[in-house]
């Protein structure tokens, strides 16, 4: 029997608040710092490792976090989710994204369908379709092969697939498995679609329209925009378009598409990268085998998240350290800082994943949650950020916890020794240096050159960013966000906060406005 | 005589704290909301307009903000800066970036040089060089024209120029003034350079190495990386490389470059887009005339920032509203949300501009500043953000002030009427709707569908994003950041917080580590 309790009603949270704080600067200096780095880490799958030595925790705090995990029944709730219980209370839905990459518990039957079989079937359809595209069995009006793919989607239909594509584009090129170059159209700003179309060889391009409901304003608009462009070029849109949608949407069973691949209501947009939403474009771009490796990495990490021992469960631990920072230490923001240019859009995806899941003020029953919930997430790749906003992270008035990511090898294999070290070594030296600089600080007689330290960070390290380690990394954050939601007793799987804007935008377009809305509409000439 | 006082010592700030707060939700509903939108705006240059109706201000608060502007002598301090006083106290330097785009006060002579003449001369050299590149007078080893340009730089030598290039790429294409396609290499991650080089036609590419000191680790590493790649292709690096640097740097008067263009210590990296740092790449990419238009727009806006009447000075007003939000209302973060895909990297530039300038804990004399200073800045273009982190902005536990930007027309001229409206109209309808949704909220019997409102935002509107309006927009934010620094009595022009990480990274590369730093180095195999 599960208890769904607000965080501030738990005994463990009271204990956690009372626990002695860790003086990070002191803890991380000298040999005790070295010991912490060796001790405070949890192995992940795909050779990744979560190191939390530079977080404000010690054995005592970790014990309290473990008690909180137990009292809030975090792993039990995860198991309940895997078993197909209605975890998305607001929309009264199952939450099944983990099922797209394997099965960890019993069969989940929904709407009379075995859901694991359904997701697997879609993956197989996509794989078969991709092979026909490569072989030329599916080709354009002139019988020529398709060479490019363009995804039309927004939010979860854009950010995750785009971040993953960018993460593996150079890797795929280096491994001769870049089958089709991918591009993405998301914004309703016509200049977004215009620029992508301008850079695309329309005659040899496939377009994937991704919308679960088949009613997303931006996506349908951009779809028509693209179809008009194809028609103007004398091309037949029906020969160039695919749909990824739910089986009941207007895009399904529609002759306007070469094929349709299906998702369903049990996978939220921001959790849909491992469904057909990411599967179609990534399978076409890199080959279905590469997409399958991403899923493998995710599944392995999903499995680790079942560990009841907090120190063997990197997702639950990361989640609880975040809760400690948010609800005990009072920090509002978390920076995600991958030292990997390939992960340049990963923070943007995590922004949606985390902020849309955790940005709630009511608990899963619609009652007030009277404590901080999801933090603000932002980030850019290092070392770039070092020359930008790190000044504030080091010397600003607010403390911003950080999550670093770093790899021992780069993806392309191209590197030079310059002044005694490779670029990859310089990159790694910088992230190591930053963690210590943030944690330990440095005194100086000139206060302007003083670093107060005590700025907490964790780092996920790995050998290389590959399809499998990328999958593990993504699953890590999905499960972290899920565990935080359980801890806060919120529903991490709905997004009612996006509705009001949609309603008002429709009013503007229908010219049914008054007061401020009418004036802003005038100002913007709409 | 200027008084440099901490914010918390001023009478005006005490008054501001005591002033009655504005109930934004109440103020923005109904006809009073419409009145506010008509009343609370300030015209900017280049047809832009700053509207602050949806901010937590009224006539009373505005009066208190004006008193604060006067007590902190904001315009006097700006005049002092323009007159060449040593405003950058930490580094004991003039602050002269405004002088790159015109002269608003008397001559500034530094190191025996008339600085306006010096900056203008560099612009002229760049313009003359660009014309020789277009004509083929300057060409590659085989006498063929250069067709591409790649900027190698990081931080201020990357973010601003890159954001401006992206902002105008589609505009320039539509206006047949895209002379050379530009790309950027910034990260020391070798995969960044490898990917750019892979996409570049090396034989026909110019590379601009940008480093004021000529010693930036990442930039020099990437320069050598590129030179090695050119050499491997049988090309002569000296025939492909330009330098933008200070006259005393190792890159100046160096036979390894086709030409060198100069900047100096009086322009900080994050304020250097209007110097040769942005000038070289943007003049080559779009033509010197287009770069001159950007500068025109900046100069016009710089001029407005001299207005002593707060309600005629959009930069000072925006700055003080930000201070009110940060220091009285207690908000830590500001989101920058341009409804324009062309501005996709503008928030990343503002992140550096604002957070590196304002992220300080001491005042300009090195004494403690015991109040919040610069906020955290993040943002993505709308409507994309609506499908991502807006959930938290609408229903999260913390209030995050917002700055919207929107244009009545798009840049490419390509647009379609779909379901009764153009894409541009849909884009504009959305930003209008969001402002009202954030400010007014909406009640609902289901608390999960309730929007509490009172989420403040401003919007800068304009006809179209052009070189001139882009310049005005950039200057707006540069001057806003400057005025905030004056209000907080901090030095917005140094960045001591970036030093410690550099020192420690060098230690790692020299293998001079112990404790935590040694362990992290091991973990990352460096």
């Amino acid at each position: 029997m599960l208890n769904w309790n607000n965080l501030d009603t738990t005994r463990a949270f009271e204990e956690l608040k009372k626990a002695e704080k860790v003086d990070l600067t002191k803890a991380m200096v000298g040999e005790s710092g070295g010991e912490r780095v060796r001790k405070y880490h949890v192995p992940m799958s795909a050779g990744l490792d979560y190191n939390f030595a530079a977080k404000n925790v010690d054995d005592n705090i970790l014990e309290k976090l473990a008690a909180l995990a137990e009292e809030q029944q975090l792993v039990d709730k995860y198991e309940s989710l895997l078993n197909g219980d209605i975890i998305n209370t607001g929309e009264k839905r199952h939450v099944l994204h983990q099922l797209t990459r394997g099965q960890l518990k019993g069969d989940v039957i929904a709407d009379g369908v075995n859901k694991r079989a359904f997701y697997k079937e879609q993956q197989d359809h996509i794989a078969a379709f991709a092979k026909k595209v490569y072989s030329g069995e599916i080709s354009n009006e002139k019988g020529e092969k398709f060479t490019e793919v363009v995804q039309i989607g927004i939010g979860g239909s854009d950010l995750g697939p785009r971040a993953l594509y960018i993460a593996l584009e150079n890797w795929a090129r280096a491994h001769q498995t870049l089958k089709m170059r991918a591009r993405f159209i998301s914004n309703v700003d016509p200049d977004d679609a215009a620029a992508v179309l301008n850079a695309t060889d329309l005659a040899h391009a496939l377009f994937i329209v991704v919308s679960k409901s088949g009613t997303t304003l931006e996506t349908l608009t951009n779809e028509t925009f693209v179809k008009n462009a194809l028609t103007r070029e004398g091309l037949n849109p029906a020969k160039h378009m695919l749909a990824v949608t739910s089986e009941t949407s207007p895009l399904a069973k529609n002759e306007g598409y070469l094929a349709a691949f299906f998702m369903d209501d049990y996978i939220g947009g921001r959790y849909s990268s491992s469904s057909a939403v990411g599967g179609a474009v990534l399978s076409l771009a890199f080959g279905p085998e590469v997409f399958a490796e991403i899923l493998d990495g995710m599944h392995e990490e999903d499995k680790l998240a079942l560990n009841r021992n907090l120190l063997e469960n990197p997702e639950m631990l990361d989640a609880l350290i975040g809760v400690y920072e948010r609800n005990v230490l009072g920090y509002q923001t978390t920076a995600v800082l991958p030292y990997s240019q390939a992960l340049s859009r990963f923070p943007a995806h995590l922004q949606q994943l985390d902020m849309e899941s955790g940005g709630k003020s009511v608990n899963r029953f619609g009652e007030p949650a009277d404590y901080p919930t999801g933090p603000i997430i932002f980030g850019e790749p290092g070392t770039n950020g070092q020359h930008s906003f790190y000044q504030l992270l080091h010397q600003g008035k607010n403390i911003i916890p950080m999550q670093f990511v770093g790899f021992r090898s780069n993806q392309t294999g191209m590197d030079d020794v310059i002044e005694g070290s490779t670029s990859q070594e310089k990159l790694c030296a910088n992230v190591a240096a930053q963690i210590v600089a943030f944690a330990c600080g440095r005194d100086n007689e000139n206060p302007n050159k003083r670093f107060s330290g005590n700025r907490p960070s964790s780092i996920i390290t790995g050998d290389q960013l590959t399809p499998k380690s990328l999958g593990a990394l993504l699953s890590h954050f999905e499960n972290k966000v899920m565990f935080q939601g359980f801890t806060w007793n919120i529903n991490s799987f709905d997004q009612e906060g996006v509705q009001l804007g949609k309603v008002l935008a429709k009013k503007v377009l229908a010219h049914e406005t008054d007061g401020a809305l009418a004036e802003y509409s005038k100002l913007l000439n709409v």
Side-chain angles (χ1 to χ4, degrees), chain A:
Chain A
M1 183 59 194
L2 294 176
N3 300 311
W4 297 95
N5 294 324
N6 278 11
L7 175 64
D8 58 358
T9 66
T10 64
R11 244 174 321 129
F13 182 59
E14 286 310 308
E15 293 298 315
L16 188 62
K17 283 194 289 187
K18 280 187 281 183
E20 197 178 339
K21 307 289 181 288
V22 172
D23 181 336
L24 189 58
T25 304
K26 216 166 136 189
M28 285 298 285
V29 163
E31 204 26 59
S32 83
E35 270 174 49
R36 281 177 66 94
V37 182
R38 287 190 298 272
K39 174 178 171 184
Y40 284 142
H41 73 102
V42 181
M44 298 168 59
S45 67
L48 299 180
D49 187 84
Y50 173 68
N51 193 300
F52 57 101
K55 287 289 190 185
N56 292 86
V57 298
D58 59 10
D59 290 351
N60 181 42
I61 302 274
L62 288 169
E63 204 180 280
K64 305 282 185 287
L65 293 177
L68 180 57
E70 207 166 314
E71 188 173 352
Q72 286 295 57
Q73 301 174 302
L74 299 188
V75 172
D76 301 289
K77 287 171 184 171
Y78 177 34
E79 288 183 342
S80 161
L81 179 153
L82 293 174
N83 276 323
D85 293 341
I86 306 294
I87 297 296
N88 179 349
T89 43
E91 300 172 304
K92 301 195 174 49
R93 289 177 182 168
H94 314 273
V95 174
L96 303 182
H97 54 273
Q98 278 98 345
L99 215 49
T100 57
R101 52 244 195 181
Q103 187 157 344
L104 289 165
K105 293 282 156 185
D107 283 346
V108 178
I109 312 293
D111 312 328
V113 173
N114 179 313
K115 282 302 182 176
R116 171 63 192 154
F118 171 71
Y119 299 137
K120 187 71 180 62
E121 188 184 40
Q122 298 308 312
Q123 286 160 14
D124 294 343
H125 286 173
I126 290 169
F129 183 88
K131 281 174 187 161
K132 287 183 191 166
V133 170
Y134 306 151
S135 73
E137 190 181 330
I138 292 173
S139 58
N140 75 358
E141 297 90 336
K142 294 189 179 168
E144 298 159 336
K145 285 188 185 181
F146 290 108
T147 56
E148 301 183 32
V149 55
V150 179
Q151 174 117 324
I152 305 171
I154 196 164
S157 301
D158 170 57
L159 292 164
R162 192 195 293 248
L164 298 182
Y165 176 75
I166 293 171
L168 293 179
E169 191 182 21
N170 291 324
W171 177 90
R173 199 173 272 121
H175 288 77
Q176 277 89 44
T177 184
L178 186 62
K179 314 275 190 188
M180 303 174 82
R181 181 164 176 172
R183 290 189 178 81
F184 297 83
I185 297 174
S186 54
N187 203 331
V188 77
D189 181 343
D191 291 341
D192 186 18
V196 173
L197 292 177
N198 182 64
T200 300
D201 173 10
L202 297 183
H204 303 95
L206 280 173
F207 294 86
I208 312 177
V209 181
V210 187
S211 169
K212 185 156 63 182
S213 64
T215 64
T216 314
L217 171 88
E218 287 87 343
T219 302
L220 294 191
T221 300
N222 279 321
E223 180 190 11
T224 305
F225 197 94
V226 167
K227 282 183 173 168
N228 292 349
L230 292 170
T231 306
R232 277 195 297 271
E233 293 288 316
L235 300 165
N236 175 5
K239 292 278 183 195
H240 289 262
M241 314 281 294
L242 310 176
V244 173
T245 190
S246 65
E247 288 178 296
T248 55
S249 108
L251 311 185
K253 300 179 191 95
N254 180 320
E255 297 202 339
Y257 304 97
L258 272 173
F261 306 111
F262 299 116
M263 58 202 292
D264 60 34
D265 281 343
Y266 310 125
I267 299 177
R270 56 195 177 274
Y271 299 94
S272 67
S273 295
S274 54
S275 77
V277 169
V281 64
L282 297 171
S283 296
L284 283 164
F286 302 134
E289 302 77 14
V290 171
F291 183 64
E293 282 176 54
I294 298 174
L295 297 185
D296 270 0
M298 296 190 83
H299 182 63
E300 291 303 315
E301 201 62 37
D302 287 346
K303 220 188 285 180
L304 280 185
L306 277 168
N307 283 337
R308 288 181 177 270
N309 181 342
L310 181 62
L311 297 178
E312 293 172 2
N313 186 328
E315 290 66 49
M316 193 160 72
L317 180 57
D318 193 1
L320 287 169
I321 291 174
V323 169
Y324 181 66
E325 291 172 335
R326 185 84 172 110
N327 297 88
V328 179
L329 302 179
Y331 305 147
Q332 283 184 18
T333 307
T334 296
V336 180
L337 307 166
Y339 275 62
S340 160
Q341 190 62 24
L343 293 175
S344 60
R345 291 302 285 169
F346 201 71
H349 173 54
L350 292 192
Q351 244 174 9
Q352 178 186 19
L353 176 63
D354 200 318
M355 293 172 73
E356 202 171 30
S357 299
K360 310 285 164 69
S361 294
V362 297
N363 72 9
R364 65 201 310 278
F365 307 112
E367 299 150 358
D370 289 328
Y371 40 82
T373 55
I376 298 149
I377 302 288
F378 80 99
E380 291 284 334
T383 59
N384 293 3
Q386 290 178 203
H387 294 260
S388 170
F389 53 83
Y390 278 34
Q391 163 68 37
L392 185 145
L393 302 185
H394 278 291
Q395 293 189 317
K397 293 294 290 188
N398 297 113
I399 289 181
I400 297 163
M402 292 160 281
Q403 295 217 272
F404 292 103
V405 179
F407 300 96
R408 290 175 282 275
S409 306
N410 69 323
Q411 289 185 311
T412 60
M414 191 173 163
D415 203 350
D416 287 337
V417 174
I418 295 167
E419 308 244 331
S421 59
T422 63
S423 291
Q424 187 65 26
E425 285 168 338
K426 292 184 183 78
L427 183 68
C428 288
N430 271 280
V431 68
Q434 290 294 333
I435 296 172
V436 174
F438 280 119
C440 299
R442 189 187 61 183
D443 202 8
N444 193 296
E445 57 185 20
N446 177 350
N448 196 28
K449 295 176 191 276
R450 204 171 282 159
F451 294 78
S452 57
N454 195 35
R455 316 250 163 169
S457 68
S458 63
I459 182 165
I460 292 174
T461 56
D463 281 327
Q464 194 188 39
L465 185 63
T466 62
K468 198 157 178 181
S469 61
L470 177 65
L473 194 66
L474 179 59
S475 157
H476 174 77
F477 284 101
E478 288 186 2
N479 289 313
K480 172 193 168 177
V481 165
M482 170 194 75
F483 282 128
Q484 290 196 330
F486 291 155
T487 310
W488 289 317
N489 202 33
I490 61 173
N491 180 4
S492 306
F493 306 103
D494 67 352
Q495 55 283 324
E496 290 296 339
V498 307
Q499 297 304 330
L500 178 55
K502 287 188 196 174
V503 171
L504 295 183
K506 272 189 196 158
K507 282 194 183 180
V508 175
L509 290 172
H511 306 292
E512 293 166 2
T513 59
D514 57 12
L517 194 55
E519 293 297 329
Y520 282 118
S521 303
K522 247 187 261 174
L523 204 53
L524 287 152
N525 204 21
V526 59

